[in-house]
């Protein structure tokens, strides 16, 4: 006899033993049931006439969808905002509100001798008998003053400004390659990019217009006429730094440099001294300090012995030992003395020459 709940005739032949349901492996858990698109009406609901047996359920909204959409919107907004910010503040563009670089104001005043230029066979003799006897040699003559922090700049930033100014002076007035008239790149790389156009124009199209004189940027001699007799240029001067405003440092440089020269290609010729009094003013913003660059604001050069008839804008063409300038010159100008000249051509004071 069949047990309770079993078929009256017992378990059919071939059916799974032990009364196990052949559909037992199919599991309809709660999530499966709730996700079904069709739902059967209850018996009470089916009493109503013409009521369908089932109804279609509205698909359930997935809880995580809105959260993912919100995150996507936020990411898009952040990316868009970043793109706008980088477009406005591009790392290679000038900072907002940064004032453009001013053109360099430059003046080159030739100083003509009243008598013949003195000479000697040895540059050391000339130096010893000139006002440059106590000057230091080359970069040693451009010592750095003590660096102290200012109201808005650290001690390191002040030292950086002074060091960059010194590098400019050394490269532009003491480097034999620059003095020989061939090299300009070593000076160019120290300039703020905003000044490179004016710098390049000065060497491509030199002009004595107060803006485009190569000798306003650096000291260089006409290689076809003169050469250095002694690479150890004598130098004396000072550097002074001030904070002009909360975002700018300025360095004032005032140096006298004395060169021993001789005719180009003539090692046996007498040597003579050539004196340059050079006053430069540099400006540094925070980008310049970070990049070890500077803006040259003003350049004022007095140099001799030169002939006032010679063009000194492109190259300096010194008068050498035994040569003399024309008569009828203005009152003497001493390149060893501070003070601004008011003429475009001056006379080299007699006591500024070596006593031989």
């Amino acid at each position: 006899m069949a047990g309770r709940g079993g078929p009256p005739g017992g378990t059919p032949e071939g059916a799974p033993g032990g009364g196990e349901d052949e559909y037992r492996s199919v599991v309809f858990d709660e999530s499966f049931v709730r996700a079904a698109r069709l739902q059967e009406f209850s018996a009470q609901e089916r009493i109503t006439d013409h009521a369908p047996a089932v109804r279609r359920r509205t698909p359930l909204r997935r809880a995580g969808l809105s959260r993912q959409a919100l995150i996507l919107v936020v990411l898009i907004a952040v990316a868009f905002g970043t793109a706008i910010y980088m477009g406005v503040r591009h790392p290679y563009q000038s900072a907002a509100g940064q004032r453009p670089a001013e053109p360099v104001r430059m003046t080159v005043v030739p100083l003509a001798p009243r008598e013949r230029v003195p000479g000697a066979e040895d540059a050391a003799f000339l130096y010893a008998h000139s006002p440059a006897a106590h000057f230091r040699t080359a970069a040693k003559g451009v010592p750095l003053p003590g660096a102290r922090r200012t109201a808005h700049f650290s001690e390191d930033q002040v030292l950086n400004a002074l060091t960059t100014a010194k590098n400019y002076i050394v490269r532009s007035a003491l480097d034999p390659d620059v003095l020989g008239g061939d090299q300009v790149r070593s000076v160019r790389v120290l300039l703020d990019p905003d000044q490179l156009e004016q710098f390049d124009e000065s060497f491509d199209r030199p002009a004595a217009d107060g803006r485009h004189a190569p000798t306003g940027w650096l000291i260089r001699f006409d290689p076809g006429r003169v050469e250095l007799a002694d690479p150890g240029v004598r130098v004396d001067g000072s550097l002074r730094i001030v904070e002009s405003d909360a975002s700018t440092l300025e360095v004032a440089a005032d140096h006298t440099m004395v060169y021993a020269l001789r005719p180009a290609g003539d090692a046996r010729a007498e040597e003579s001294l050539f004196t340059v009094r050079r006053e430069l003013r540099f400006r540094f913003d925070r980008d310049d300090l970070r990049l070890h660059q500077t803006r040259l604001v003003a350049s004022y050069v007095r140099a001799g012995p030169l002939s006032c008839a010679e063009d000194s804008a492109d190259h300096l063409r010194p008068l050498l030992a035994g040569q003399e300038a024309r008569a009828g010159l203005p009152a003497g100008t001493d390149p060893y003395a501070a003070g601004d000249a008011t003429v475009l051509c001056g006379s080299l004071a007699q006591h500024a020459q070596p006593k031989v």
Side-chain angles (χ1 to χ4, degrees):
M1 183 174 179
R4 178 180 295 181
T11 302
E13 185 178 355
E20 293 183 356
D21 187 356
E22 61 178 319
Y23 298 104
R24 186 174 181 178
S25 61
V26 181
V27 179
F28 298 100
D29 58 10
E30 182 179 356
S31 62
F32 179 83
V33 174
R34 294 182 60 184
R37 294 293 184 90
L38 299 178
Q39 181 184 29
E40 185 179 7
F41 285 99
S42 66
Q44 180 66 34
E45 290 173 328
R46 289 199 299 270
I47 295 176
T48 306
D49 291 340
H50 309 295
V54 296
R55 62 183 172 189
R56 182 174 296 274
R57 300 178 63 181
T58 302
L60 294 175
R61 296 179 62 185
R62 303 181 67 175
L65 183 60
S66 59
R67 184 181 305 167
Q68 293 175 358
L70 179 60
I71 293 174
L72 181 60
V73 170
V74 171
L75 290 176
I76 293 174
V78 170
F80 185 72
T82 302
I84 294 178
Y85 177 80
M86 292 302 292
V88 175
R89 293 278 299 186
H90 193 280
Y92 296 101
Q93 291 177 345
S94 299
Q98 179 178 317
R99 57 189 175 187
E102 302 175 6
V104 183
R105 302 187 304 275
M106 52 186 66
T107 303
V108 180
V109 180
L111 303 178
R114 290 186 173 274
E115 299 179 359
R116 291 180 183 273
V117 176
E121 295 181 357
D122 185 11
F125 176 84
L126 294 173
Y127 282 129
H129 291 80
S130 75
H134 66 283
F135 286 10
R136 296 181 180 180
T137 302
K140 295 179 181 179
V142 193
L144 294 178
R148 297 181 179 180
R149 65 172 295 115
T150 64
H152 300 94
F153 292 89
S154 68
E155 181 178 322
D156 287 343
Q157 289 174 314
V158 171
L159 179 60
N160 190 352
L162 289 169
T163 302
T164 303
K166 175 177 178 174
N167 288 340
Y168 188 95
I169 294 167
V170 171
R171 294 186 189 183
S172 65
L174 305 179
D175 183 351
D177 291 334
V178 173
L179 296 173
D182 297 329
Q183 177 65 260
V184 299
R185 184 180 181 279
S186 61
V187 179
R188 187 181 188 274
V189 297
L190 291 175
L191 291 171
D192 186 284
D194 288 344
Q195 290 194 309
L196 296 183
E197 182 178 357
Q198 184 185 1
F199 182 89
D200 293 340
E201 288 179 355
S202 299
F203 290 88
D204 292 340
R205 296 180 294 277
D209 59 0
R211 292 291 186 270
H212 300 94
T215 50
W217 296 98
L218 49 83
I219 302 300
R220 68 175 186 173
F221 302 109
D222 184 348
R225 297 177 61 171
V226 300
E227 65 182 20
L228 282 176
D230 182 358
V233 180
R234 303 302 195 267
V235 186
D236 185 62
S238 63
L239 292 170
R240 183 173 56 87
I241 191 166
V242 295
E243 179 183 304
S244 57
D245 57 51
S247 60
T248 309
L249 286 173
E250 289 194 0
V251 174
D254 185 356
H255 293 84
T256 299
M257 292 153 286
V258 184
Y259 306 85
L261 303 176
R262 64 188 174 207
D266 189 356
R268 296 184 178 181
E270 279 195 325
E271 299 172 2
S272 60
L273 297 186
F274 183 79
T275 304
V276 174
R277 179 66 177 264
R278 192 175 185 225
E279 299 171 42
L280 305 176
R281 187 156 60 91
F282 303 96
R283 181 172 294 159
F284 300 84
D285 59 24
R286 298 186 187 278
D287 286 339
D288 292 328
L289 294 173
R290 178 174 53 85
L291 298 173
H292 303 282
Q293 296 173 335
T294 186
R295 298 167 185 253
L296 182 60
V297 178
S299 171
Y300 181 68
V301 178
R302 289 168 284 171
L306 286 170
S307 172
C308 294
E310 294 279 3
D311 180 10
S312 300
D314 188 10
H315 290 84
L316 297 174
R317 299 174 174 86
L319 295 172
L320 301 176
Q323 296 179 336
E324 59 183 343
R326 298 175 182 176
L329 298 173
T333 300
D334 184 3
Y336 292 92
D340 294 335
T342 56
V343 293
L344 296 180
C345 181
S347 175
L348 185 64
Q350 186 61 35
H351 66 268
Q353 296 273 47
K355 294 179 175 59
V356 297

